[in-house]
Amino acid sequence: MPPHLAPAPPWPRRTREPEAHRITKFTLERTMPYEENSGDDEVALARRRLDQLDQQIIRVVKERVSFSALVQSTRIAHGGCRTDSTRENVVIGRYLDGLGPAGRDIGLSLLRLCRGRDPAPTAARGRGRTRRAFLGPAASVSHQAAEAWPGPPGAELLPVDSLEEAVAGPGEGVAEESVVPLENSVSGPVHDTLFALAATEGVTVAGQARLPVNWVLAAAPGTDLTSIDTVASHPHALAQTKRWLTGVLPRAARTSTSSTSRSAAGLLRPDAPYEAVICTRQAAEHYRLRVLACPERARTPVTRFVLVRPTAAPPAPTGNDVTSVVLTASAGALTGILECLTQERAEILGLHALPAGEASRLLWLDVRGHATDAHMLHVLSALHEHCERLRVAGTYPAAAPHDHQEP
């Protein structure tokens, strides 16, 4: 297997002490005669101090959890995501620098605790239903995609609060897999997903499917168009319905939220700062909202979703595969990258370039072919010479067993 496709080696585990040795040691400790000496007093004092330190650590962790919840609620209130993957990487790096390899595990566990959920123990994984994470809450577009995803039925659907959390979930054990939106036929790439896939180690794209999205303008029962001053929704939903919404409500302001279904759920609050939302018809029905208007079905946008799983050996080629590559490069290197792809006769199925700093760009490439094909390996080798960082984000069939059909 090529080195850049090989999964990362597992984190070294502490070897368990043999059972026979542990029993022998326990027996010796219990049968040895007790002799009072000054060392026992020192041990007792040290243990009392350890107990005090444990209580201090617990108190400080609880304080951190409360401040983390404050940051999360403030970010969400301003239309942002619950978690910030860049910030979390800084925190993990701090614990790694201060405590060594074990500090990484402590940092990850602390962040999971501060998010408000901790994954199930490793021993419980692999049993029961597959946990599939999606951007919630219930009745979101991602919920529909996760529910209808091709494959064995009966997955346990797990709503999370941000795309960053959905992408990281399979790598952290929160879920076995997740379904996230990658791009839309009208509004283009979903930036949060692309940046999360670029920044998150230990996960890979394992499949794709496309879902038509039927948006509606919805409001609380008793609301009519003349009383609407502000419409809320996810930025992509607002972008996809911009022209139509302008025709329906030319003077209404628009405000962004972190999820279409979250805006629908919040509409019934007495202090909701908006009077209507753009959401799916399913969300309107789920939250008992009144549908005021909907765009023409001929203009229905289509969202491409991808399945994210823990990094593993790539699947066998099917003869019709896609390899997704994510790389960072200087802005001046973009021309060289495009020329390289042309010279190597790479069939580009999709290309998204996003700003990644003052002079850097993040590129997401979808290339026809399997990552283990000789031609693809040659393309990847040639790209390495033009970029700062490159990794294969996934290699998978070009089409799902059956893409979702418009209802």
Side-chain angles (χ1 to χ4, degrees), residues 227-244:
S227 61
I228 297 174
D229 295 320
T230 305
V231 179
S233 194
H234 188 275
H236 270 256
L238 292 174
Q240 293 165 33
T241 58
K242 179 178 179 180
R243 182 177 298 180
W244 169 79

Side-chain angles (χ1 to χ4, degrees), residues 336-346 375 378-379 382 386:
I337 291 173
L338 295 177
E339 291 178 350
C340 171
L341 292 170
T342 301
Q343 292 173 359
E344 299 298 331
R345 297 183 179 180
H375 178 248
H378 194 71
V379 171
H386 297 273

